[in-house]
Amino acid sequence: MQEPREIVAGLLTDQRFLSTCAERDMGSLFRMLNRRGVSTRRIAAAVGIAQGRLYEYMNGKSRVERLTMFEQIADALHIPGHFLGLARRHWEPQAPSPPVASACGAAVPADRPREEDPDLSAMVAFRDADRATGGGRLYEAVVTHLRQRVAPRLVDLNGVQVFAAAAALTEMAGWMAHDSGRDRVGQAHFARALVLARASGDAALESNIAASSSHLALQMGDPSAAVHWARVGLGTGGNGPRVPTLVARLHTMQARALAAAGQYSPAQQALEHAQVVLRDAGPGVTHPWVSPFDAAALASETAEVLRDMGRVREAVEHAQEAVALRESGRARSLALCRIVLAGLHVQRGNLDAALVVGEELLAATAPTMGSIRVVRQLDSLKVQFEPHRSHPPVRDFLTRLVSERRARMLLLADILTPEGGQPQ
């Protein structure tokens, strides 16, 4: 269950929340938290008031009037001071320093970690391992690193850079939880990462986490939330140096969500924005904590947008491009691209092409890959092939697919959980 501060962190760009704060209507604010699953007991305990008094505020029988009470609520829930007409609170980060020029003349964030930064080195190592083997078995290692190496330094008053490291690694833990089938756990990690990113004052990192939240919302079947988070990311990104690959990723996530919601025209516009931004992105602002987004990723996401829009022939072309561009070292991404391509061939009725891609998929994907996501996508592919079981080559492929799935589930037994258990 999310803490009140985490709920507030997700509302900082919500217009109703902003209006409530501007009007200093604490009763409405408390009702807003209650509607999002925070009990009145927890709200009262968090802000340090009696539950009876809280009910009076929520029912409109009384209003918060005293300045000290507004300050108490702001500090308890981490509402930035200016939202309530207060001075900057002691826990709010100082405004980030302006960008400085790098040796090559490109603007980079002033707080950018140096290459020898141990936190950055750790993240790169985890990221490389995740790409090759999947994140299921890496989750505990990342969480342990956060607890033992990063968390103790969050009380250091010498700078906010550790908050950026904590945010980036917490986001990574969220992705690894998602990869092991624990989407709710991943969602909680993203919410916490967003709070840490805001404390660091790093707008690009905050936008990056919003993009991840958009992706996860889409995977959890909530395109409306996915659109919201993509827009939050695009809005937040304007507060710092522009990172073109991040902007392209956010436009792409917006396109994915809009297409899933059946809003095809705005989805097409968002996709075109992403293509233009990535095409025109040259040497410029880079950011060590921001997830990479390249032509292969755009091609893969474009294929899924076009599939949802019913443009299957075009989707096949982009899925083929994604497979061709995705390097073999990115085993999980390559497997997911092939699953999408095989499914698209089935949709077009090209079973021979689908079987070729399917055989390549099974041959190249190690059964020990620690990714429940891949297993779930294989299950979806099986469902697509099933209506064609009367075709002998399809029947043979399905037999092999079932056998491969059984082996994968046995080898992944150590990372299965009640939430992320065996896909049905």
Side-chain angles (χ1 to χ4, degrees), residues 310-334:
R311 293 157 59 181
V312 181
R313 182 186 61 77
E314 296 170 78
V316 167
E317 294 174 0
H318 286 278
Q320 289 173 330
E321 180 186 6
V323 170
L325 290 174
R326 184 52 71 212
E327 59 211 60
S328 58
R330 302 282 294 274
R332 182 186 54 208
S333 294
L334 183 55

Side-chain angles (χ1 to χ4, degrees), residues 161-186:
Q161 183 55 52
V162 67
F163 282 90
L169 287 162
T170 300
E171 180 204 15
M172 179 170 285
W175 274 107
M176 291 176 175
H178 170 49
D179 204 28
S180 58
R182 292 173 284 180
D183 289 346
R184 294 294 177 189
V185 175

Side-chain angles (χ1 to χ4, degrees), residues 39-68:
S39 69
T40 53
R41 180 184 59 79
R42 293 177 69 213
I43 297 171
V47 300
I49 60 176
Q51 199 165 359
R53 177 58 58 88
L54 178 73
Y55 286 138
E56 291 180 3
Y57 293 145
M58 292 177 67
N59 294 330
K61 295 181 179 179
S62 180
R63 284 182 62 94
V64 175
E65 301 289 352
R66 290 186 295 112
L67 177 63
T68 54

Side-chain angles (χ1 to χ4, degrees), residues 189-202:
H189 278 302
F190 288 161
R192 186 165 298 173
L194 195 63
V195 174
L196 291 164
R198 284 172 177 157
S200 76
D202 191 326

Side-chain angles (χ1 to χ4, degrees), residues 8 12 17 74 78-87 89 91-92:
V8 168
L12 293 180
F17 177 79
H78 273 201
I79 301 172
H82 68 276
F83 280 35
L84 296 171
L86 305 174
R89 312 313 299 153
W91 47 264
E92 290 186 64

Side-chain angles (χ1 to χ4, degrees), residues 72-419:
Q72 183 174 324
I73 293 169
D75 293 340
L77 301 179
H78 273 201
I79 301 172
H82 68 276
F83 280 35
L84 296 171
L86 305 174
R88 188 181 69 84
R89 312 313 299 153
H90 65 87
W91 47 264
E92 290 186 64
Q94 298 286 348
S97 303
V100 296
S102 68
C104 63
V108 296
D111 283 342
R112 175 177 174 175
R114 296 168 299 176
E115 291 300 320
E116 63 270 20
D117 185 325
D119 291 319
L120 179 58
S121 298
M123 190 190 70
V124 170
F126 283 129
R127 183 179 284 166
D128 288 346
D130 174 53
R131 288 171 176 168
T133 65
R137 293 193 177 90
L138 296 171
Y139 173 75
E140 291 298 337
V142 174
V143 171
T144 298
H145 180 83
L146 276 163
R147 288 173 179 161
Q148 296 181 356
R149 302 293 182 89
V150 181
R153 291 186 282 125
L154 291 174
V155 298
D156 188 352
L157 300 179
N158 293 328
V160 297
Q161 183 55 52
V162 67
F163 282 90
L169 287 162
T170 300
E171 180 204 15
M172 179 170 285
W175 274 107
M176 291 176 175
H178 170 49
D179 204 28
S180 58
R182 292 173 284 180
D183 289 346
R184 294 294 177 189
V185 175
Q187 196 174 48
H189 278 302
F190 288 161
R192 186 165 298 173
L194 195 63
V195 174
L196 291 164
R198 284 172 177 157
S200 76
D202 191 326
L205 178 55
E206 191 177 335
S207 293
N208 189 64
I209 295 166
S212 297
S213 298
S214 178
H215 173 96
L216 185 55
L218 192 61
Q219 295 297 304
M220 295 174 73
D222 191 348
S224 177
V227 171
H228 164 76
W229 281 114
R231 288 173 176 166
V232 167
L234 289 167
T236 303
N239 298 327
R242 187 173 186 268
V243 183
T245 54
L246 175 57
V247 175
R249 181 187 175 206
L250 284 160
H251 279 302
T252 303
M253 290 315 306
Q254 188 175 30
R256 284 284 315 274
L258 289 167
Q263 300 182 43
Y264 298 153
S265 180
Q268 179 65 38
Q269 292 173 3
L271 189 59
E272 289 171 358
H273 279 306
Q275 293 166 343
V276 169
V277 171
L278 195 63
R279 182 194 66 206
D280 295 343
V285 176
T286 58
H287 196 295
W289 300 121
V290 168
S291 303
F293 188 80
D294 55 16
L298 178 60
S300 177
E301 300 288 4
T302 299
E304 299 205 53
V305 172
L306 294 172
R307 178 198 61 197
D308 290 345
M309 294 170 67
R311 293 157 59 181
V312 181
R313 182 186 61 77
E314 296 170 78
V316 167
E317 294 174 0
H318 286 278
Q320 289 173 330
E321 180 186 6
V323 170
L325 290 174
R326 184 52 71 212
E327 59 211 60
S328 58
R330 302 282 294 274
R332 182 186 54 208
S333 294
L334 183 55
L336 292 171
C337 288
R338 281 178 167 145
I339 290 171
V340 170
L341 178 57
L344 288 167
H345 280 312
V346 173
Q347 279 187 258
R348 294 198 72 198
N350 192 344
L351 294 180
D352 290 341
L355 289 168
V356 169
V357 177
E359 292 293 344
E360 291 173 348
L361 169 68
L362 295 182
T365 308
T368 54
M369 178 183 289
S371 176
I372 300 300
R373 286 171 62 199
V374 170
V375 175
R376 286 177 171 172
Q377 292 301 312
L378 285 172
D379 286 346
S380 297
L381 184 61
K382 177 178 178 292
V383 170
Q384 289 180 278
F385 270 108
E386 279 291 350
H388 307 281
R389 177 179 281 276
S390 59
H391 185 47
V394 170
R395 187 164 54 250
D396 291 343
F397 174 74
L398 286 172
T399 299
R400 185 178 169 199
L401 182 60
V402 169
S403 176
E404 289 279 337
R405 182 194 188 281
R406 187 178 300 114
R408 289 169 196 275
M409 296 309 295
L410 288 171
L411 294 171
L412 294 176
D414 59 319
I415 65 172
L416 294 176
T417 66
E419 178 187 355

